[in-house]
Amino acid sequence: MPDFLKNLLDQVKNMWSKWTMVQRIILIGIAAAAVIAVAALVSVSSSPGTVPVIDVPIVNEDERARVVTRINAEGVKVSVSPSGLVSVPDEETARRMRSLLIREDLVPKGTDPWALFDRERWTITDWERNINLRRAITQMVTEHIKSLNEIDDANVVIVQPEKSLFPSEQDPVTASVIIMPKFGSDIIENRKKIEGIQKLLKYAVPGLKDDNITITDQSGLVLNDFEGMKDFDRLARIEKELKIVRDTEAKYRADVLRALQKQFSADRVRDLNVKIDMDMSKKSVESSNYKPIMLKERSPGLAYDDSERVPSLTVSESTSTTAWKGTGFNPEGPPGVEGQTAPAFKDMSNLFGEVSQTTRVHNEVFNEEKIQEERSPTVDRISVSVNIDGTWIWKKNEKGTILYRSDGTVEREYVPVPAADLAQAQYLVEGAIGFNAARGDTIRVQNIQIDRSAQFADEDKMMMRQRQVKITIIASLIGIALLMIGFVIFQIVARAREQARRRREEELARQHQLMREQALLDADKEGAEVSLSVEDQARLELQEKAMNLAREHPADVSQLIRTWLMEE
């Protein structure tokens, strides 16, 4: 260990041993407080800060709420201080939000435009101060434009000429901006975004006017030539107006079709044309409405109306009367001077007569109500034409059988729509479109037969197919029935032949049996020994067993014989 550190440690130990317990506790407390203070300072300095969007507080709560809502809509975390200062997390986000607020006219009224571009510069001379100010404005505007999501890069040139003694000789402030949009951006076609950049320049540069701002893309195309875009705006406006007319016509058409198809079915109401003439110009209409003057209100509780009204009230009334009698002499002044007497009175000169004239002035007051409203757009005229098809019925005879022509098609008859139904349909259409005869609306509901040749051809083909299927089924059933009858007859004939054969065999067997029995009887009578064959002996034994079985079990034998007979 170095001698310096060793001596220092020895001194600390000596001092520590000489101190009292109170002094030691005070030293430990001071050291702990110092450590806590350093830790707090480090934590505060390491915490993330915020950057104000506008460097002045927004006092108006409504304006501050609109600004905060719009920033939140961009997914940016925003904080508001107790004084009304709106802040975001970093400087890049703040620049982007400033551009957004300027573009959408959300900067609070009365806010100093320079508060959006506040940057401190320390200079020595006025010339350096002006140069630095111009560079700061140019750099800040460039950073704001680059912060827009639609722009990849931007180049800004601002020219602020020296002030002239005479305003007429003062050169204007000009600004030129070249923007490079990102791939897929619509900023070149979006007029609102270009106007936002133009407003940004006007806020940043004092004395800059719209006519002295040029915004171009990298190919030199001027983007803020709004005067040259008047024709395009007019075409866009015409397109929007036509879209409004088409949407309105489609709505009326859907309403009328829905009403008529419920009444006449969708197949009969097909042709519906709606034409609407609309005035898209903005009009200011001022009208006056005259109402009677109420002298007495209606008394409450009465069953009748006892109020008193008059059309008008007399405000003032004056009457003047003029009477004249004389010879009718009208002096015309000195000789040689043309008089001022009217020609009508000149003709009455030097005549005797009498004139009497009465004038009455009567002033009335009315209860006048003036109504002023703006209308845009307005419907000038609606024209609707509807075709309702009649019905087709199939002709039938008295028995209800469908009649067919010689070519196999169905005979049909067309039934037109009754005039009463057409009138009801017209009333229905008038109610659906809000018919106004004073406006010149026209509605035509007619019954015109629709060509249904293709439909009838399909129906005839289906009917012919059904008839063919029906005939085929009937023929098949008849064939099956004949086959079954033939099979039954064949079975009956075969069974009859079998029964006849069995009867012949039984008859032969019976005769043979009788002959054997007779031979045995004759042999018994003669006492001679007759030798029987093996087959005859087996037959006799079987016959004897059958006879014994019939004696012992007569019910089983009878059931067996009954079964044999049923099978036969």
Side-chain angles (χ1 to χ4, degrees):
M1 181 181 295
D3 296 337
F4 172 73
L5 292 178
K6 186 175 182 181
N7 295 331
L8 181 62
L9 290 176
D10 293 339
Q11 292 178 1
V12 170
K13 289 180 180 179
N14 293 330
M15 292 177 61
W16 182 263
S17 60
K18 293 179 182 179
W19 285 354
T20 62
M21 183 61 65
V22 177
Q23 290 176 339
R24 294 177 181 179
I25 293 173
I26 293 173
L27 179 60
I28 295 173
I30 293 173
V35 172
I36 294 173
V38 171
L41 181 61
V42 171
S43 62
V44 171
S45 61
S46 62
S47 61
T50 58
V51 178
V53 178
I54 302 175
D55 291 341
V56 294
I58 303 176
V59 181
N60 192 317
E61 295 183 359
D62 295 336
E63 295 178 349
R64 185 170 64 245
R66 285 196 295 269
V67 171
V68 172
T69 303
R70 187 63 185 90
I71 296 176
N72 286 330
E74 296 294 323
V76 177
K77 184 178 180 181
V78 61
S79 60
V80 182
S81 65
S83 61
L85 191 65
V86 180
S87 302
V88 292
D90 50 45
E91 179 64 29
E92 182 179 357
T93 305
R95 288 197 300 268
R96 185 162 56 90
M97 292 300 104
R98 291 185 198 120
S99 302
L100 179 65
L101 296 178
I102 294 173
R103 185 180 68 192
E104 299 187 2
D105 290 333
L106 292 178
V107 178
K109 296 180 180 179
T111 302
D112 183 10
W114 290 103
L116 297 174
F117 308 95
D118 190 11
R119 175 175 287 191
E120 293 186 1
R121 294 290 180 182
W122 297 94
T123 61
I124 300 175
T125 63
D126 293 339
W127 182 82
E128 290 180 348
R129 184 181 294 110
N130 293 332
I131 293 299
N132 292 336
L133 177 62
R134 187 183 307 171
R135 292 176 59 189
I137 294 174
T138 303
Q139 182 180 357
M140 187 62 71
V141 171
T142 304
E143 291 177 357
H144 276 293
I145 295 177
K146 288 183 179 180
S147 65
L148 297 177
N149 294 330
E150 294 84 0
I151 295 177
D152 192 11
D153 195 6
N155 185 6
V156 180
V157 176
I158 299 175
V159 178
Q160 292 179 323
E162 297 293 336
K163 292 185 178 180
S164 178
L165 180 61
F166 301 100
S168 59
E169 299 178 357
Q170 178 67 43
D171 294 331
V173 181
T174 60
S176 175
V177 180
I178 301 176
I179 61 174
M180 278 68 78
K182 292 183 178 179
F183 179 76
S185 175
D186 64 339
I187 190 171
I188 294 178
E189 296 84 7
N190 196 323
R191 178 173 177 175
K192 186 176 181 181
K193 295 180 180 179
I194 299 298
E195 289 179 346
I197 297 177
Q198 187 167 311
K199 292 178 182 178
L200 181 67
L201 291 169
K202 290 175 60 179
Y203 269 105
V205 183
L208 184 60
K209 297 182 180 179
D210 295 337
D211 296 337
N212 300 324
I213 299 175
T214 302
I215 302 175
T216 63
D217 60 358
Q218 64 271 24
S219 61
L221 178 63
V222 180
L223 305 178
N224 65 330
D225 185 12
F226 303 129
E227 292 294 331
M229 297 176 62
K230 285 185 177 179
D231 293 337
F232 177 78
D233 294 341
R234 182 177 63 85
L235 294 176
R237 186 177 67 254
I238 292 174
E239 184 179 356
K240 292 180 181 179
E241 292 174 356
L242 293 177
K243 184 178 183 301
I244 293 174
V245 174
R246 288 195 299 268
D247 293 344
T248 308
E249 290 176 350
K251 179 181 179 301
Y252 279 121
R253 187 176 186 276
D255 294 341
V256 175
L257 273 180
R258 191 182 303 111
L260 292 178
Q261 288 178 354
K262 288 182 180 178
Q263 186 70 21
F264 298 99
S265 78
D267 185 56
R268 295 175 58 190
V269 183
R270 300 180 183 178
D271 303 328
L272 174 62
N273 298 318
V274 179
K275 180 65 174 66
I276 299 178
D277 297 332
M278 299 186 70
D279 185 6
M280 297 296 176
S281 61
K282 189 175 182 181
K283 295 181 179 180
S284 179
V285 180
E286 183 175 356
S287 59
S288 299
N289 187 15
Y290 295 94
K291 297 181 179 180
I293 299 175
M294 181 70 69
L295 296 179
K296 178 186 176 184
E297 297 288 343
R298 178 177 178 177
S299 301
L302 291 180
Y304 60 92
D305 187 4
D306 62 341
S307 61
E308 296 181 4
R309 298 181 178 88
V310 294
S312 62
L313 293 177
T314 303
V315 177
S316 62
E317 183 177 359
S318 62
T319 304
S320 62
T321 303
T322 303
W324 170 79
K325 292 182 180 181
T327 60
F329 176 74
N330 294 320
E332 296 185 358
V337 178
E338 183 68 24
Q340 301 297 323
T341 305
F345 287 97
K346 285 184 179 181
D347 295 339
M348 298 173 61
S349 62
N350 300 324
L351 296 176
F352 291 94
E354 182 177 351
V355 177
S356 178
Q357 181 179 2
T358 302
T359 303
R360 180 183 179 187
V361 178
H362 190 77
N363 296 323
E364 298 281 342
V365 65
F366 298 90
N367 188 3
E368 182 180 4
E369 179 182 5
K370 292 186 177 181
I371 302 174
Q372 186 174 3
E373 58 182 351
E374 292 184 354
R375 299 178 180 177
S376 175
T378 57
V379 178
D380 290 342
R381 184 171 177 267
I382 301 178
S383 301
V384 180
S385 62
V386 184
N387 178 33
I388 302 177
D389 190 16
T391 57
W392 289 87
I393 60 175
W394 290 355
K395 291 186 178 181
K396 298 181 180 179
N397 55 15
E398 294 80 2
K399 297 181 180 180
T401 305
I402 300 175
L403 300 178
Y404 295 91
R405 298 188 181 93
S406 59
D407 56 354
T409 58
V410 180
E411 292 188 10
R412 298 176 176 84
E413 182 181 359
Y414 181 75
V415 179
V417 182
D421 293 346
L422 292 177
Q424 292 180 358
Q426 183 167 351
Y427 295 149
L428 194 64
V429 175
E430 290 178 357
I433 68 170
F435 178 77
N436 187 357
R439 191 171 54 191
D441 296 348
T442 58
I443 297 177
R444 296 290 182 269
V445 181
Q446 297 179 348
N447 173 213
I448 301 176
Q449 181 177 342
I450 298 176
D451 184 15
R452 298 178 181 270
S453 301
Q455 177 183 350
F456 291 162
D458 294 339
E459 291 179 355
D460 292 336
K461 289 180 181 179
M462 183 183 65
M463 293 298 296
M464 293 178 65
R465 191 180 300 110
Q466 291 179 356
R467 291 172 61 190
Q468 291 176 357
V469 171
K470 183 177 180 181
I471 293 172
T472 303
I473 292 174
I474 293 175
S476 301
L477 292 176
I478 292 174
I480 293 172
L482 292 176
L483 183 62
M484 293 180 65
I485 292 172
F487 179 76
V488 171
I489 294 173
F490 174 77
Q491 289 291 334
I492 293 174
V493 172
R495 186 173 296 176
R497 292 181 64 184
E498 182 69 21
Q499 289 179 356
R501 185 182 62 79
R502 288 181 181 180
R503 283 195 296 269
R504 285 195 302 270
E505 291 178 354
E506 289 176 357
E507 182 63 24
L508 291 174
R510 188 179 63 79
Q511 290 179 2
H512 292 164
Q513 182 66 24
L514 289 176
M515 291 175 65
R516 293 188 189 94
E517 291 178 357
Q518 186 63 34
L520 290 174
L521 289 175
D522 292 343
D524 290 339
K525 289 180 180 180
E526 294 177 357
E529 293 182 0
V530 180
S531 60
L532 298 177
S533 63
V534 177
E535 294 178 358
D536 292 339
Q537 292 179 0
R539 188 180 296 107
L540 289 175
E541 293 179 358
L542 182 62
Q543 184 178 0
E544 186 177 358
K545 290 181 180 180
M547 293 175 63
N548 294 332
L549 182 63
R551 293 189 189 96
E552 295 176 0
H553 304 284
D556 295 338
V557 174
S558 61
Q559 183 68 26
L560 178 61
I561 295 172
R562 190 180 297 111
T563 303
W564 287 348
L565 293 176
M566 291 177 65
E567 290 179 357
E568 294 296 334

